[in-house]
Amino acid sequence: MPNQIPILKGKKVKTRILRPCEYVQLRDGMKAANQTNLDACLLLGARYTECVRLQKHPEWFDGNFVHLPWTEELAKSKHHPERWIRLSYLGKKIVPYFIANQKQLPSIQAWDHDLKLWAVKAGLNEKGISARTLRKTYESWLVFSYPNEIPVIMLSHGHSLPTSIAHYISLPFTEVDGQAMYEWVVGWAPDHAFGRL
């Protein structure tokens, strides 16, 4: 198994980025209902609170994009007030199941606890694994897979270009990682934009 990617140090929390093989290992260690939520949180690349809100607002998904509308709650935060989340082909398939899933996402504290528990059960080091892991992991995969689409990736994920440069562009993924990412990211941008074929 390849080396673990160094844990990224944010302003508040250290976050682990997973290689595709590690994500599959984590996923295989949980029940199917949890896999749907896990896959959706990965493929949305959204903040955990945004994923929770989406389960309550199925109308935000139009079959191709998830529209996170302006709300007073968002206006009070530093996050972008409104955005459209692009989805890969797999994301477009998973999101309807995620919205209809009877097993709703728990509190962020419970989700963080569960992720660490599943990581240990799967034989992974749980250090740095949290709700942020999925968002940062997927954004990293997209940047690696679609290097010419970085501004669009940042807009879709609600990050600035300096954030991307500081955290996502120079991660040590291998070509083997890139091949394993393909099924998760394909369709996020036009096929001709895929930088790892």
Side-chain angles (χ1 to χ4, degrees):
M1 175 177 275
N3 293 335
Q4 176 182 315
I5 291 175
I7 296 173
L8 298 181
K9 296 178 183 178
K11 291 179 183 175
K12 299 177 184 176
V13 182
K14 294 180 181 178
T15 304
R16 170 106 174 258
I17 304 293
L18 300 174
R19 294 183 185 280
C21 61
E22 293 172 319
Y23 178 76
V24 170
Q25 189 178 345
L26 173 67
R27 187 182 187 277
D28 288 346
M30 62 182 67
K31 296 179 181 175
N34 291 323
Q35 288 177 350
T36 299
N37 284 344
L38 186 80
D39 288 346
C41 287
L42 175 81
L43 295 169
L44 283 162
R47 296 172 181 89
Y48 187 76
T49 55
E50 294 167 340
C51 294
V52 169
R53 289 171 60 226
L54 176 59
Q55 281 191 313
K56 298 172 185 170
H57 293 280
E59 71 277 11
W60 291 355
F61 176 57
D62 68 5
N64 290 302
F65 293 87
V66 171
H67 175 228
L68 297 178
W70 181 91
T71 65
E72 289 191 25
E73 177 187 356
L74 285 178
K76 293 176 186 174
S77 75
K78 295 178 182 175
H79 305 148
H80 294 277
E82 179 178 36
R83 73 179 193 279
W84 286 261
I85 295 175
R86 284 183 174 223
L87 297 168
S88 66
Y89 294 142
L90 187 56
K92 291 174 188 177
K93 290 180 184 176
I94 294 288
V95 167
Y97 292 102
F98 170 67
I99 291 170
N101 196 351
Q102 294 298 312
K103 190 166 183 66
Q104 298 280 297
L105 289 171
S107 70
I108 193 167
Q109 294 83 3
W111 185 245
D112 284 349
H113 175 268
D114 288 346
L115 287 172
K116 289 180 186 299
L117 186 67
W118 295 326
V120 170
K121 283 184 179 179
L124 293 170
N125 181 346
E126 81 279 14
K127 187 175 179 183
I129 291 183
S130 69
R132 290 178 178 220
T133 294
L134 301 174
R135 173 174 163 79
K136 289 181 181 257
T137 291
Y138 195 61
E139 195 164 336
S140 300
W141 292 3
L142 288 173
V143 167
F144 184 81
S145 300
Y146 295 104
N148 295 325
E149 299 291 323
I150 291 173
V152 181
I153 294 167
M154 296 307 101
L155 287 173
S156 179
H157 288 241
H159 276 149
S160 66
L161 196 54
T163 298
S164 173
I165 290 168
H167 296 288
Y168 302 108
I169 290 179
S170 65
L171 292 176
F173 290 120
T174 66
E175 289 304 315
V176 171
D177 292 328
Q179 291 167 7
M181 290 170 193
Y182 184 77
E183 69 175 295
W184 300 96
V185 303
V186 66
W188 192 93
D191 288 345
H192 70 270
F194 191 77
R196 301 294 164 190
L197 288 178

